[in-house]
Amino acid sequence: MFTIGILASGKGSNLQAIVKHVQNGFINAKIGVVISDNPDAGALEIARSAGIPAVYIEPGKYRTFLENHQEKKYVECLKQHGVELVCLAGFMRVIKKNFFREYQNRIINIHPSLLPSFRGLEAWKQALDYGVRFTGCTVHFVEEDIDTGPIILQAVVAVFDDDTPETLHQRIQEKEHVIYPLAIKIISENRLIRIEGRRVIIDEM
Ligand code: GRF
């Protein structure tokens, strides 16, 4: 069965949504492993409760990326669990060469804005501060640059005058929990036909 692996640093609400859609059969794939750089990540707890291997791997001495020999352990762990598609779900470190060597075009991410607007951290706050009327979320392939890869799916969220960063983030996350499982379903069913330049062509069926 098509096997995905999930990397998460935080509370894991996207992981929770993916687990739900695997359990109810919407996604026909297996979650082979969940890995975190944070031993206290809610995501590890969610994985354990769902009977999914949950592994903490030390990130090493840097704050924003994985130390090279630690990054190798991440990739080894994914391979050991038969992972074919790597899904970043709130993983707070930039991934580098070891991942791209092994999983070229097979790493995806969810970002809380309509890319290419508002790359980087707290994208919902950036959107609010900028004053846009609409923002949203994006599932995209991961490249070596941050938040730049070809876009698979997006969903739009309206910004209200009385929004706070928290209320806006909350509504964006509700959409994340819809489009991330959907993107995984599409890839696991081989409906993602090809990438033409930056454009991802999907067979809608
Ligand atoms: C999400 O907002 C996602 O867009 C970003 O990190 C957050 C992860 O949230 N990349 P959760 O841990 O899945 O709740």
Side-chain angles (χ1 to χ4, degrees):
M1 182 179 274
F2 189 78
T3 303
I4 65 173
I6 295 173
L7 265 57
S9 306
K11 67 179 195 287
S13 69
N14 279 283
L15 169 65
Q16 183 83 74
I18 296 163
V19 167
K20 178 178 130 190
H21 285 101
V22 167
Q23 285 173 347
N24 70 18
F26 179 72
I27 299 173
N28 186 20
K30 170 182 154 191
I31 305 175
V33 66
V34 172
I35 311 179
S36 186
D37 57 342
N38 167 15
D40 303 320
L44 289 176
E45 205 40 58
I46 291 169
R48 281 187 208 108
S49 317
I52 299 162
V55 186
Y56 162 67
I57 302 179
E58 257 180 56
K61 64 183 175 202
Y62 304 109
R63 209 172 48 84
T64 56
F65 59 96
L66 300 166
E67 213 172 330
N68 187 44
H69 62 278
Q70 292 307 105
E71 189 178 73
K72 284 185 180 152
K73 291 186 190 167
Y74 277 71
V75 175
E76 266 317 303
C77 181
L78 291 165
K79 280 167 58 188
Q80 271 164 19
H81 288 89
V83 169
E84 294 159 90
L85 176 73
V86 180
C87 306
L88 307 183
F91 189 64
M92 296 311 286
R93 280 165 212 269
V94 179
I95 58 168
K96 292 184 178 285
K97 294 265 183 296
N98 297 294
F99 277 93
F100 296 111
R101 252 196 302 270
E102 194 64 39
Y103 286 103
Q104 183 76 43
N105 287 334
R106 288 184 296 139
I107 309 170
I108 61 174
N109 181 44
I110 177 93
H111 182 78
S113 76
L114 292 174
L115 289 173
S117 292
F118 312 124
R119 295 163 55 194
L121 294 175
E122 296 193 322
W124 59 90
K125 189 164 181 303
Q126 295 184 49
L128 199 58
D129 290 346
Y130 197 92
V132 292
R133 294 294 183 188
F134 294 94
T135 183
C137 48
T138 303
V139 182
H140 64 95
F141 283 105
V142 176
E143 299 176 331
E144 297 203 31
D145 276 346
I146 301 171
D147 302 331
T148 57
I151 290 167
I152 304 167
L153 293 177
Q154 292 187 303
V156 176
V157 173
V159 181
F160 302 141
D161 289 343
D162 60 355
D163 260 328
T164 62
E166 292 72 31
T167 58
L168 182 56
H169 188 208
Q170 162 73 27
R171 290 203 312 289
I172 292 172
Q173 284 225 295
E174 284 168 18
K175 296 281 188 178
E176 291 181 0
H177 302 160
V178 175
I179 66 168
Y180 211 9
L182 180 58
I184 294 169
K185 176 184 173 71
I186 287 169
I187 295 172
S188 61
E189 290 173 359
N190 244 336
R191 282 161 54 199
L192 199 153
I193 300 172
R194 63 185 180 280
I195 304 174
E196 273 175 10
R198 293 201 42 87
R199 300 187 62 203
V200 175
I201 312 298
I202 295 170
D203 179 1
E204 301 291 348
M205 295 210 292

